Amino acid sequence: MFLNVHSSYSLKYGTLSIEQLIANARRLGIHQMVLTDINNSTGAVEFIRECYKQGVAKEADDIHKGNIPYRIKPVAGIEFRKDNRLLYVGIARNKEGMRELNEFLSHHNIYSIPLPEVPPEMENVYIVYPFRKSFNSALSANEYIGIHSKQLNHLYKHPLLRQKEKLLVWHPVTVNDKVTYRLHEYLRAIELNTLLSKVADKDKCDPDEFLIPEEELTQQFEQYPFIVQNTQQLLDSCDLSIYFENTPVPSSKNKFYYTGTLDGDKQMLCQLAESGLKYRYGENNPEAVARLEKELRIIELKNFCAYFLITYDIIDYAMNTCGFYHVGRGSGANSIVAYCLRITDVDPIDLDLYFERFLHEKRTSPPDFDIDFSWDEREIIQKYVFSRYPKWHVAFLGTMSTFKDRAIIREIGKVLGLAKGEIDSFTDPTKERENLRNATYQKLLAVHAYMKDMPNQRSIHAGGILISEEPITYYTALDMPPKGFPTVQWDMYEAEAIGYEKFDILSQRGIGHIREAVQLIKKNKNKDVDIHDFKTFKNDQKLNGILKEGQPIGCFYIESPAMRQLLKKLKCDNYLTLVAASSIIRPGVASSGMMKSYIERYHAPEKVVYLCDVMKERLSETYGVMVYQEDVIKVCHYFAGLDLADADILRKAMSGKYRSKLAFDELVNKFFTSARKQGHPEELVTEVWRQISSFAGYSFSKAHSASFAVESYQSLYLKTYYPMEFMVAVLNNYGGFYSRWVYVYELQKTGAKVHLPCVNHSDEVVNITGGDVYLGFIAIQGLEEKIIKMIPQERAANGLYTHLEDFVKRTCISLEQAIILIRLGALRFTGKDRKTLLWEVHNYLGFKQKKVNHAELFKLSYKTYQLPALADSELENAYTELELLGYPLNYKMFDFLKTSYRGDIMAADMHHYLGKTVRMVGNYVCEKTVHTIKHTKMWFGTFLDARGDFFDTTHFPNTTPMYPFKGKGCYLILGRVVEDFGFQSIEVLKFAKLDIQMNPVAIN
């Protein structure tokens, strides 16, 4: 009887989760409900599935208690609203009706068309309009009017009584009680961005919109029994049972066949894999052949041939049509088939990768590939995928962001009208104790308890794409986010539950660095670089030596302060150690103390004491420390005795990719029970679980780490042998971990002569010719995009600019834009200093002079004036560069200081002063804030000394002011030199920013 039920997927409106709705309905003995969330079908399939699941789970319990077992019949639809006004509700008669509803809403979402007052005819959909006193229209066969019990009096002599068969029981459901109604009011205030007290009644649901027993509802309509009968007939005619899955594993919803038939897919995949096997391993490699056959058998068994072939098609298009470079990472790199198809460049045999991490016979969840492209090429690949498959059969995966702790407090505080300072104090973890004594804060916490983890807004997944055999609209409507691609209305968890495997098309700047560096090397040095010759790279002693020193600035994944420190502590000089480092740098390993254990054991393997023989046998490569996700699977399988499916599910659940807490708890119990059955002592089992639980949530698969390590070596090769071109590529792809000036400085260290932007030599981006590098116009703050593009285009078309007047006339530049270029020295080709040019440009672009926007018929000359000598200060120019570029190019930050003092020691001398207190002066590079378990803050800093060498600092809470860093500049640091596994740093005792010389312009 409930035709209009809202879940919390009616964002900032509904208050109950689907699980709560079904549990409430069962408690009240309700047999039928229609889930109709507002302008979305996010929860439709989940609702249908959960009704079925809860029915099966409760049947035995009902029989045991002597109750009549039953299942709630789920029906689904969509409530359509425009400008917060209810238009109508669509209810699906069957699966085709769900598709019609979803495609109707999707069309309006994708093309930004307002919803119509009357929907188009949909053959398998019932349309229910809200009752209005003035309603007098004839209704079509599938149209009805919903009337609330409070509105029955209005039926007296109403024209609708001539269409009795069109009247239905209307009892919307939004809340559960007075408490959740108050929660609803908070949600509406947040949605409308207004104070709680200002939310109008028309913008809220009625307070009585909650479930009641069916008998009570029918009694409200006892004088109009035909309305109840109409409603029951409508519900009885709806049948969505086809969505029920009678097996624990949903059947795949992805495209079934790539070639059109299963046999065709098998044949094509085998041919491609065997051809790739020869390319990767040569003609005679029995080990590779055996592994390939094993994997192909499992891939065929699990019906994933099409999945591999679709991925191969994407890679083939990228490589052979577009000439793009890619990185295949994630668990997919565990597969030799993926390696042979060139989906990945990681050799699984060389690294002894665990294929079962990706796919095995008992695996219940689908695998996925992570394919990275350059940040500026990914969209081209995405457009190809969307053009390759029919409309409604391809869409981006969505995400569902939820209300988070601090965000909830802020949102509640705003709708209550609290001052910003008060809200800030409530979200400060260091003030938790005093806040708990605050009555207002207690009120916020009470609301927070209900709102936490509720759906907040739909968004788009980072790169997951679904390619469906049948129209995706059978399962969801589609949104059109700003990215411009149709997107499903549910997330990866629901996709997996329905039976979809995603294709992850991702991006990163590191690939852009590599791609452009190779192009620049060809252009600037006329050399071809085979960047895929990884086997040579990993054995290059020069590269491994630089890796060991821990100074790979600009190189993907290994340039951050934490990673540089780890490389130095490990004295990392080989590929396998780098693979391990790429995983143990993750937060979970460090926080559990296992990173330190790994480093200790790495340097003294003979002293390693393993927890037991199983751990020694399975983790000897990593000295008894779990480094990779595969290690979690191995330990769960070989130590605890779980089968591979349960071991992988447990590993996945601990990484946060599992929804059911109950199912997770059952697996944990199964781990302990099974481990005890293996005869392991309780103390040992507890310690192994501690290590697993602290590690698994943040770990990488070994193949993922290996993919990163391959890319790191490629970057390191380019930086080592072609440093100028590589650093230009880094700058042109918007850097990496550090600020832009760090990479410019690193470029200067290569011996390149780096020039300020010049209208006669610079392009949009940085360019290089020989050893001369010109910064690009794109990095100049305040310069308009049209000027950035037009200056080099005009120069290419009509030659170099000859003088100021020529430049002004050919570019039609405005005075403001010309001043920016002149101040930065971009017109120095004229031979005149900046101040002279600033005077002269007013001859052509004075405030009262009209800008010339057309070619001159006759060449006009302008009067010239003799100017007095104008002082040009190097410090003033440096300040201008700091303003317009964000850094001075040839004037070090140290040169701004009032003092000539540069510290007692330099970074290179720190190893001579271990345990001693020293004073150093450092140019601020970056910082990292860490919250301690005591809710205090500590910091890690990175600096450059006057010689240009990096050094790092640690700032403990008891020796550090509340906000020690005050932005870019140079700092005087007093601290003790400490060493950890050969890496020196400073434990800071006192810390202060040094004064600088004032800008001469400001002084004058």
Side-chain angles (χ1 to χ4, degrees), residues 552 812 905 911:
C812 300
I905 67 169
H911 64 286

Side-chain angles (χ1 to χ4, degrees), residues 124-195:
N124 299 284
V125 171
Y126 296 119
I127 299 296
V128 184
Y129 297 97
F131 175 82
R132 295 191 302 272
K133 293 181 186 179
S134 59
F135 204 101
N136 196 24
S137 302
L139 297 169
S140 62
N142 71 326
E143 292 183 320
Y144 295 83
I145 301 296
I147 185 164
H148 197 281
S149 60
K150 292 183 295 187
Q151 299 170 321
L152 288 173
N153 290 337
H154 298 305
L155 276 181
Y156 181 68
K157 293 186 178 181
H158 197 287
L160 278 173
L161 288 176
R162 293 194 292 270
Q163 303 180 70
K164 288 183 177 181
E165 73 282 1
K166 293 297 184 180
L167 294 176
L168 301 175
V169 174
W170 190 254
H171 184 91
V173 176
T174 305
V175 297
N176 193 40
D177 48 31
K178 290 182 178 179
V179 173
T180 49
Y181 180 72
R182 189 60 170 165
L183 173 62
H184 168 78
E185 291 182 306
Y186 274 98
L187 292 170
R188 299 308 297 142
I190 291 170
E191 167 71 7
L192 299 169
N193 194 27
T194 189
L195 293 175

Side-chain angles (χ1 to χ4, degrees), residues 190-259:
I190 291 170
E191 167 71 7
L192 299 169
N193 194 27
T194 189
L195 293 175
L196 185 65
S197 58
K198 290 189 176 182
V199 180
D201 288 343
K202 67 180 180 62
D203 293 320
K204 299 185 289 188
C205 74
D206 290 336
D208 63 354
E209 288 190 11
F210 50 81
L211 288 170
I212 58 176
E214 289 176 343
E215 295 82 2
E216 184 180 332
L217 184 59
T218 55
Q219 285 174 9
Q220 293 176 0
F221 289 81
E222 60 183 354
Q223 295 184 14
Y224 298 89
F226 64 88
I227 297 179
V228 175
Q229 186 179 357
N230 294 342
T231 309
Q232 191 61 56
Q233 287 176 348
L234 182 146
L235 286 169
D236 289 343
S237 68
C238 296
D239 183 7
L240 296 176
S241 60
I242 194 170
Y243 284 98
F244 292 165
E245 293 289 356
N246 294 310
T247 59
V249 183
S251 58
S252 174
K253 300 300 187 298
N254 274 42
K255 186 171 175 58
F256 291 166
Y257 312 118
Y258 177 76
T259 62

Side-chain angles (χ1 to χ4, degrees), residues 718-907:
L718 292 169
K719 187 183 178 186
T720 301
Y721 291 103
Y722 305 97
M724 294 183 191
E725 290 81 5
F726 177 73
M727 292 313 303
V728 169
V730 170
L731 286 166
N732 284 344
N733 287 274
Y734 302 98
F737 184 87
Y738 300 102
S739 300
R740 188 173 181 83
W741 72 267
V742 176
Y743 300 111
V744 172
Y745 178 69
E746 196 72 13
L747 174 60
Q748 289 175 316
K749 285 169 65 176
T750 68
K753 188 175 181 181
V754 183
H755 302 272
L756 288 167
C758 172
V759 298
N760 267 345
H761 294 94
S762 292
D763 298 318
E764 287 184 48
V765 296
V766 183
N767 65 41
I768 179 170
T769 304
D772 286 300
V773 174
Y774 281 86
L775 298 179
F777 297 118
I778 201 168
I780 303 175
Q781 296 179 36
L783 200 61
E784 296 172 357
E785 185 177 0
K786 64 179 181 180
I787 297 297
I788 291 170
K789 293 180 179 296
M790 186 251 294
I791 292 173
Q793 288 173 355
E794 166 62 24
R795 187 182 70 224
N798 297 304
L800 297 177
Y801 302 106
T802 56
H803 45 72
L804 176 60
E805 181 184 343
D806 179 53
F807 173 76
V808 168
K809 289 180 177 179
R810 286 168 58 184
T811 60
C812 300
I813 196 170
S814 69
L815 177 64
E816 180 190 48
Q817 294 287 290
I819 287 173
I820 290 174
L821 291 170
I822 291 170
R823 290 182 64 212
L824 198 55
L827 277 81
R828 58 189 179 277
F829 76 91
T830 60
K832 298 177 181 179
D833 62 72
R834 304 180 193 197
K835 291 186 175 176
T836 300
L837 289 170
L838 286 173
W839 275 101
E840 290 186 356
V841 75
H842 283 80
N843 281 335
Y844 314 108
L845 299 171
F847 292 109
K848 295 182 180 180
Q849 184 132 359
K850 292 183 179 179
K851 187 169 64 174
V852 179
N853 288 311
H854 54 82
E856 290 181 324
L857 185 61
F858 301 104
K859 182 174 176 60
L860 302 176
S861 59
Y862 294 85
K863 289 183 179 180
T864 58
Y865 300 91
Q866 186 66 38
L867 295 173
L870 301 170
D872 200 15
S873 162
E874 188 178 357
L875 178 60
E876 181 185 334
N877 291 338
Y879 264 105
T880 300
E881 293 167 21
L882 192 61
E883 175 193 344
L884 297 177
L885 289 179
Y887 57 89
L889 181 60
N890 298 309
Y891 197 84
K892 293 181 181 180
M893 290 302 294
F894 290 96
D895 296 332
F896 283 91
L897 295 177
K898 289 181 177 180
T899 177
S900 60
Y901 179 68
R902 299 294 180 262
D904 293 342
I905 67 169
M906 296 289 125

Side-chain angles (χ1 to χ4, degrees), residues 7 31 67 99 172 183 204 274 332 376 464 510 521 615 623 644 673 703 720 836 873 894 939:
S7 77
H31 291 76
N67 300 329
R99 179 186 60 76
L183 173 62
K204 299 185 289 188
E274 289 167 2
D376 56 349
I521 293 163
M615 301 291 275
Y623 317 107
L644 288 172
T673 302
T720 301
T836 300
S873 162
F894 290 96
W939 291 264

